[in-house]
Amino acid sequence: MLWLEKITKYMLLSVGVSGVVVIYGGFFYLMLSGRGTSAIPWYGLLSPWVCIYFGLPTHKQMSVIDWFKGRFYRNK
């Protein structure tokens, strides 16, 4: 079962990276050409990052969570 998990994580990571390139490329093209970007919903811009997150190894996922905790809950 371990090989299936590795393949799934690799596929999620590759789909996420290609999604960032394609979706953000189209978004910036529309934005810089002066056309409206309302055709791309906000969750469309976030979805490749979800694929990238779940495609990361478990220890890197925990590092991402710790980074977000550090950004939003700073000790003063």
Side-chain angles (χ1 to χ4, degrees):
M1 193 65 143
L2 187 60
W3 62 271
L4 182 61
E5 183 180 346
K6 284 184 180 182
I7 291 172
T8 305
K9 283 187 175 270
Y10 179 75
M11 286 176 45
L12 277 169
L13 196 57
S14 60
V15 166
V17 169
S18 62
V20 166
V21 171
V22 170
I23 292 172
Y24 279 81
F27 177 75
F28 287 122
Y29 171 76
L30 289 174
M31 191 169 60
L32 294 174
S33 67
R35 298 180 184 157
T37 57
S38 61
I40 302 175
W42 63 270
Y43 53 84
L45 297 172
L46 293 179
S47 59
W49 296 107
V50 173
C51 287
I52 289 174
Y53 174 76
F54 285 110
L56 292 174
T58 306
H59 69 279
K60 290 193 178 188
Q61 287 178 355
M62 297 308 295
S63 297
V64 169
I65 290 172
D66 291 339
W67 181 82
F68 273 113
K69 284 181 183 177
R71 294 288 287 174
F72 294 114
Y73 301 112
R74 293 190 182 213
N75 294 331
K76 293 183 179 180

